[in-house]
Amino acid sequence: MAHPDRVKSPKHGADAPATSAAYRDDMRSTPALGTHVVVVGAGMVAHRFVESLLSRADEQWRVTLIGEEDRHPYDRVGLTGFFAGASPDDLTLDRSILDDERLRFVRGDAVARIDRTARRVTTRSGISLSYDRLVLATGSYAARLAVDGFGLEGCFVYRTLDDVEKLEAFVERRSAELGRPLTGTVIGGGLLGLEAAGALQGLDVDCTVVQSSDRLMSAQLDLAGGNALRRLIESRGIAVKTETVTTRLDPDRSGQVTGLEFRDGSYAHTDVVVFTVGVRPRDELARGAELDVHPRGGVLIDAGCQTSDPRVLAIGEVANYDGMCVGLVAPGYAMAEVAATRLLGGDAAFPGYDLSTKLKLSGVDVASFGDAFAETPGALDVTYADPVAGVYKKLVLSDDAKTLLGGILVGDASAYGSLRPLVGGTLGGDPAAYLMPEGGVAAPTGDLPDEALVCSCNSVTAGTIRHAVHEEGCTDVAAVKACTKAGAACGSCVTMVKKIVGSELAKTGAALSNALCEHFDMSRRQLFDAVRVSGLGTFSSVIERFGTGRGCDICKPALASILSTLVGRHVLDGENATLQDTNDHVMANLQKDGSYSVVPRIPGGEITPEGLLVIGQVAKDFGLYTKITGGQRIDMFGARLEQLPEIWKQLVDAGFESGHAYGKSLRTVKSCVGSTWCRYGVQDSVGMAVQLELRYRGLRSPHKIKLGVSGCARECAEARGKDVGVIATEAGWNMYVGGNGGFTPRHAVLLAEGLSDGELLTAIDRFLMYYIFTADRLQRTAPWFEDLDGGIEGLRAVIFDDSLGICADLDAAMAGHVDAYQDEWKATLEDPEKLRRFASFVNAPSTPDPSLAYTAERGQPRPATERERAEGGVLIAGTTLEVRR
């Protein structure tokens, strides 16, 4: 039931504050029973405080939450996800908390004054509220750079959802006006600045980061770490200027920003500027109420989050503890828990700031934790650096080299989740082993001390997780997350949580379930072996013998992949067609507007001029958007379902075949030009890449597979970021395995050196087939081989020494795949029954889907936004879009 003090907002379609006089009169009256807590601010920390308080308080408590933004509380940490397609609703925090009958939520309004004598707050709209306890969670605001031109059009800060929505709208409008991609500048090279640069790049803005200090992320990284990060950022196509101070922003005649002047007298053109030069606590309310405030900003609090007024608490970025205000969510959450506990009569103290950070920028892996700068007296540091691979690691230890104090990880932060909980504890073993690429010592698992902090975002210790398993009856990670909130924020600790849960269950004689789903009480690996031994070739026969029920969207695609490897039938043959994921079902990638993308295979990135002309003509004939991908292919977007066979007929007739961009299979083999053209190349990397791609094309697997081949140690093909990376040397090919990009980037590790062409093919054959035989569903190669007995050494023994006696089986399986390969689209075009599924409407197969609408941008079609559809002037699918160049 809707709360009486909220109404529906036409703009947001959710509970929004009423603003009538009657509502204001109602809000003036303090609840008659219990304690009334007013929370000023409705961000992440305020949301956590309300959740913590109401989950433990009785019915006598009442809370009023007042937020200045006209939104529900949302995830600021994930703000960059907005540019990756996340909607405001996707970023919204748990709304169920706001449905509590003890809570009043006022949004789109701000507290203007605090009267501490009367214990009353007044909002800008005139609402007046008395309080028993007041909690300030007003957060911070983006600092402004004191330079001429700060307020020019095209200048933005990067702090709220409104900020990023305005930035995106400006970039779209301005690039359309200029008819070209924009040039952008981010002023400030800290954590937020790099996230902003990634966001601009995602909007096709050619971006430069300007940093006044000598390195990026200077608050978290030392000089060596900052230099390593700079190389990584620049390798992503983002330029970096350090030790550069901006002195002025220049406008064009219309008042738009057009350039920047620097202290050294240099000048740079720009179309858009984003300022990320830090934040300042929003303590103006506290100052007006004459609460004690630190000279540099922030409301002074004690360890109980109490201010100079016993009835007022402050939490989050507005609070100043021990002379510091910190713009990280984890300390804010810790303060929220302390404040809630204190209000309820409990004993809790803020432990101080945990400044651990992890950069959330796709393709860049950076973490800093503990005493990263070795400021502890007598501290020692152990470092490892590989400039070619872009890796820098440092551990800071006590003077006896036994206690871990902190660390820096750049380029490979996979150990962050394991190392950070050990800060303050004994590291064990040789510290250098934790830094080496192949990890001579196993990462810590469930043997952490109870007091070790596993989830810094939510202050969850290893002991709390163990309690959840043994006392609360949690038997899997999802249950532990729901019970303790470990892993519910940034997610970087989930791997460690899983290991602790598994370890604790094993102590009780139970086990962490590895069942594929409710229909198969076995793992993917066990199911693969069962199908292989039984010789069954259809889903119905497999589920009848080994499972129960009819199957689901988990087991059906998983078994389809297994059957593809073991039986080798076409994905759309008979019963197989009903098992596929959405993309495999039509052999194309579904896009956000309901259209599809088409990606022909371009082995090794090598293509003839004739091939380029064919792709260009196809895109022109069907009005498709074209883009060169990171895998050295050309992607064509905007194809309608009924157009797919026509498009593929032209491509197949020209000699192209499916690129399998839609499947959990081999995607691409990326290569540099190698010794054929490059003066540094020592092997024919293109020739090897083409050979590998033609050998493994169509190979279905638990997850997508990517390969890379570099012709020398300069690594232009980024082979060490692939599942299998091949790097040429004078002595032969070096083979690396277990690399990937994505949410958790990994650098591949060296498996073998100096291989001949034949030895390399055999090693890759066995590696891929062993992975396909034994990996879990949707498990990438990096976590798969880490879970293998013996790790990388065990893997070497399997592939080169045949330690399991299965090499003949692996070789035979790969030979079977190579011999049985058929192009899925060519076979589909030859089968009228398969072609029948490519129709937008059953009763009108050739009618275009009228919900598809497009507009032109930068000379190409793109999906029209809702606003553009409402305003008219867009082209509906099936009509001709005239693109003016």
Side-chain angles (χ1 to χ4, degrees):
M1 184 177 73
H3 291 271
D5 54 7
R6 284 183 237 155
V7 295
K8 290 291 182 181
S9 163
K11 178 179 178 182
H12 296 278
D15 288 343
T19 56
S20 67
Y23 174 74
R24 293 197 295 270
D25 291 341
D26 175 68
M27 291 295 286
R28 286 192 183 97
S29 60
T30 303
L33 298 175
T35 302
H36 182 211
V37 180
V38 173
V39 183
V40 183
M44 296 176 70
V45 173
H47 182 274
R48 168 53 63 85
F49 168 78
V50 172
E51 178 185 34
S52 179
L53 180 69
L54 294 181
S55 67
R56 295 180 281 167
D58 59 29
E59 294 301 317
Q60 303 302 309
W61 288 77
R62 296 291 183 270
V63 176
T64 300
L65 178 67
I66 306 174
E68 184 174 12
E69 292 185 73
D70 195 11
R71 303 179 186 272
H72 288 84
Y74 58 87
D75 179 11
R76 289 188 197 274
V77 175
L79 204 57
T80 302
F82 177 83
F83 297 99
S87 69
D89 282 344
D90 294 331
L91 296 175
T92 299
L93 301 176
D94 182 10
R95 293 192 186 190
S96 65
I97 297 163
L98 306 179
D99 294 330
D100 194 302
E101 294 293 336
R102 296 168 292 176
L103 173 71
R104 289 169 169 170
F105 178 33
V106 182
R107 73 184 195 192
D109 202 356
V111 171
R113 187 169 64 89
I114 300 171
D115 184 341
R116 292 200 289 129
T117 303
R119 298 211 306 272
R120 183 170 291 275
V121 298
T122 304
T123 72
R124 290 175 185 167
S125 69
I127 297 172
S128 180
L129 289 163
S130 62
Y131 63 82
D132 295 303
R133 302 300 293 269
L134 179 66
V135 178
L136 299 179
T138 48
S140 59
Y141 64 90
R144 293 179 173 269
L145 197 63
V147 296
D148 291 340
F150 182 92
L152 291 174
E153 186 172 0
C155 293
F156 299 86
V157 294
Y158 192 87
R159 185 68 183 158
T160 67
L161 261 173
D162 286 343
D163 293 334
V164 297
E165 285 179 338
K166 291 175 182 176
L167 175 60
E168 181 183 53
F170 173 83
V171 170
E172 290 180 355
R173 176 182 61 80
R174 189 63 173 156
S175 62
E177 290 173 354
L178 297 175
R180 59 168 174 79
L182 301 186
T183 298
T185 305
V186 175
I187 299 180
L191 182 68
L192 193 62
L194 296 181
E195 291 183 354
L200 283 179
Q201 191 178 53
L203 294 173
D204 291 328
V205 175
D206 185 12
C207 187
T208 298
V209 176
V210 176
Q211 171 76 327
S212 60
S213 69
D214 61 353
R215 62 191 184 278
L216 297 173
M217 288 183 66
S218 55
Q220 292 84 25
L221 303 181
D222 58 16
L223 183 58
N227 289 338
L229 176 58
R230 176 173 185 159
R231 287 190 290 270
L232 288 173
I233 294 296
E234 289 177 334
S235 71
R236 286 174 48 85
I238 298 173
V240 176
K241 290 177 176 288
T242 55
E243 299 182 278
T244 302
V245 177
T246 305
T247 56
R248 178 183 173 85
L249 279 70
D250 296 327
D252 62 11
R253 293 180 179 177
S254 65
Q256 303 259 6
V257 66
T258 190
L260 304 102
E261 298 178 19
F262 301 115
R263 181 178 292 171
D264 62 5
S266 61
Y267 177 87
H269 167 74
T270 192
D271 301 305
V272 59
V273 177
V274 179
F275 292 93
T276 58
V277 291
V279 295
R280 301 289 184 270
R282 296 196 59 178
D283 56 13
E284 63 273 15
L285 276 175
R287 292 178 185 274
E290 297 185 347
L291 292 169
D292 289 348
V293 176
H294 194 277
R296 291 196 300 273
V299 185
L300 291 174
I301 62 169
D302 61 15
C305 297
Q306 183 175 292
T307 68
S308 55
D309 183 333
R311 291 188 175 271
V312 181
L313 295 87
I315 57 177
E317 296 174 24
V318 72
N320 186 301
Y321 180 76
D322 199 22
M324 296 173 61
C325 292
V326 174
L328 297 173
V329 70
Y333 280 173
M335 290 180 182
E337 296 290 345
V338 169
T341 300
R342 286 296 188 99
L343 286 185
L344 294 170
D347 184 21
F350 179 58
Y353 292 108
D354 178 1
L355 302 181
S356 302
T357 54
K358 195 167 189 288
L359 181 60
K360 299 171 182 66
L361 182 62
S362 176
V364 176
D365 209 7
V366 181
S368 172
F369 56 96
D371 181 14
F373 292 99
E375 295 174 344
T376 302
L380 308 173
D381 59 70
V382 179
T383 61
Y384 167 82
D386 182 351
V388 175
V391 174
Y392 171 80
K393 303 179 185 181
K394 180 175 81 170
L395 293 184
V396 180
L397 308 170
S398 59
D399 54 5
D400 61 0
K402 293 181 179 180
T403 302
L404 179 64
L405 301 178
I408 293 173
L409 304 170
V410 179
D412 176 12
S414 57
Y416 173 75
S418 299
L419 287 170
R420 190 195 48 73
L422 289 176
V423 171
T426 301
L427 189 59
D430 180 5
Y434 288 82
L435 304 181
M436 300 303 290
E438 297 176 29
V441 175
T445 56
D447 297 322
L448 293 173
D450 282 348
E451 63 274 13
L453 190 65
V454 175
C455 176
S456 62
C457 291
N458 293 314
S459 300
V460 182
T461 64
T464 303
I465 295 171
R466 293 188 178 107
H467 178 84
V469 173
H470 295 295
E471 304 298 331
E472 304 294 336
C474 298
T475 58
D476 56 29
V477 173
V480 169
K481 183 185 294 186
C483 179
T484 68
K485 298 195 178 301
C490 75
S492 64
C493 63
V494 169
T495 300
M496 178 57 65
V497 173
K498 182 177 180 180
K499 290 179 179 179
I500 295 175
V501 172
S503 174
E504 296 307 310
L505 287 174
K507 293 176 184 177
T508 67
L512 193 63
S513 174
N514 62 357
L516 183 64
C517 67
E518 61 185 284
H519 303 104
F520 287 98
D521 191 21
M522 58 179 72
S523 67
R524 179 198 173 276
R525 176 176 183 169
Q526 292 168 328
L527 184 59
F528 189 99
D529 289 339
V531 175
R532 184 163 63 95
V533 172
S534 67
L536 299 175
T538 63
F539 178 83
S540 56
S541 62
V542 172
I543 198 168
E544 180 181 0
R545 180 165 175 181
F546 299 112
T548 59
R550 298 182 178 180
C552 62
D553 58 0
I554 293 176
C555 62
K556 284 183 176 180
L559 193 51
S561 175
I562 292 172
L563 292 173
S564 176
T565 300
L566 296 176
V567 181
R569 296 174 62 196
H570 193 287
V571 292
L572 300 184
D573 273 347
E575 191 182 61
N576 272 4
T578 65
L579 308 179
Q580 308 299 330
D581 279 323
T582 301
N583 291 337
D584 292 89
H585 192 66
V586 294
M587 300 183 296
N589 277 351
L590 181 66
Q591 302 302 313
K592 62 186 291 185
D593 68 335
S595 66
Y596 294 87
S597 66
V598 173
V599 188
R601 185 171 301 287
I602 301 177
E606 182 180 66
I607 187 168
T608 64
E610 291 77 15
L612 286 172
L613 290 171
V614 169
I615 291 176
Q617 190 62 49
V618 167
K620 188 174 182 180
D621 289 347
F622 293 91
L624 306 179
Y625 170 89
T626 57
K627 189 177 190 304
I628 297 175
T629 73
Q632 299 177 336
R633 303 195 291 191
I634 299 175
D635 206 339
M636 294 176 277
F637 294 83
R640 304 194 304 273
L641 181 63
E642 76 276 7
Q643 291 178 323
L644 291 174
E646 304 171 56
I647 291 170
W648 274 106
K649 185 177 189 312
Q650 290 191 30
L651 292 171
V652 169
D653 287 348
F656 287 100
E657 59 183 38
S658 172
H660 290 95
Y662 48 81
K664 297 293 186 288
S665 58
L666 175 75
R667 293 291 177 85
T668 63
V669 182
K670 187 175 181 178
S671 71
C672 64
V673 295
S675 59
T676 307
W677 290 94
C678 180
R679 57 199 174 106
Y680 299 111
V682 294
Q683 299 272 9
D684 180 10
S685 54
V686 177
M688 177 55 71
V690 170
Q691 185 177 0
L692 294 176
E693 188 154 349
L694 295 180
R695 184 173 183 81
Y696 304 125
R697 56 187 172 178
L699 182 65
R700 299 282 169 158
S701 55
H703 210 298
K704 62 186 176 185
I705 302 172
K706 296 182 179 181
L707 280 68
V709 184
S710 287
C712 74
R714 285 171 174 79
E715 248 282 73
C716 294
E718 301 169 327
R720 290 194 62 189
K722 304 294 187 287
D723 296 280
V724 178
V726 179
I727 300 178
T729 70
E730 296 286 356
W733 301 102
N734 289 355
M735 177 178 168
Y736 295 80
V737 296
N740 62 255
F743 187 79
T744 307
R746 303 285 183 88
H747 273 278
V749 299
L750 182 65
L751 182 71
E753 297 179 277
L755 300 177
S756 66
D757 288 8
E759 290 169 336
L760 177 66
L761 291 179
T762 299
I764 298 177
D765 285 355
R766 292 174 180 176
F767 172 79
L768 292 177
M769 274 302 169
Y770 188 36
Y771 163 65
I772 292 169
F773 275 33
T774 61
D776 287 336
R777 168 183 170 270
L778 299 182
Q779 186 178 36
R780 294 295 297 267
T781 57
W784 164 73
F785 91 74
E786 289 173 359
D787 289 342
L788 290 177
D789 290 341
I792 191 70
E793 289 298 337
L795 183 61
R796 286 194 187 102
V798 171
I799 292 176
F800 297 106
D801 302 331
D802 200 10
S803 60
L804 298 180
I806 61 172
C807 281
D809 295 330
L810 301 177
D811 293 344
M814 185 59 76
H817 161 75
V818 174
D819 292 342
Y821 170 78
Q822 61 173 337
D823 175 29
E824 291 172 349
W825 262 110
K826 185 175 187 297
T828 298
L829 293 172
E830 296 170 352
D831 187 336
E833 185 61 30
K834 291 185 176 68
L835 290 174
R836 290 179 58 187
R837 69 179 58 251
F838 296 95
S840 295
F841 303 97
V842 174
N843 58 347
S846 59
T847 301
D849 184 348
S851 68
L852 302 177
Y854 299 90
T855 187
E857 183 175 81
R858 295 187 297 277
Q860 294 205 79
R862 67 154 172 82
T865 64
E866 291 300 325
R867 184 168 63 183
E868 289 167 338
R869 290 169 184 258
E871 292 173 349
V874 300
L875 277 296
I876 305 300
T879 61
T880 301
L881 177 66
E882 180 181 356
V883 178
R884 299 188 182 278
R885 301 184 182 278

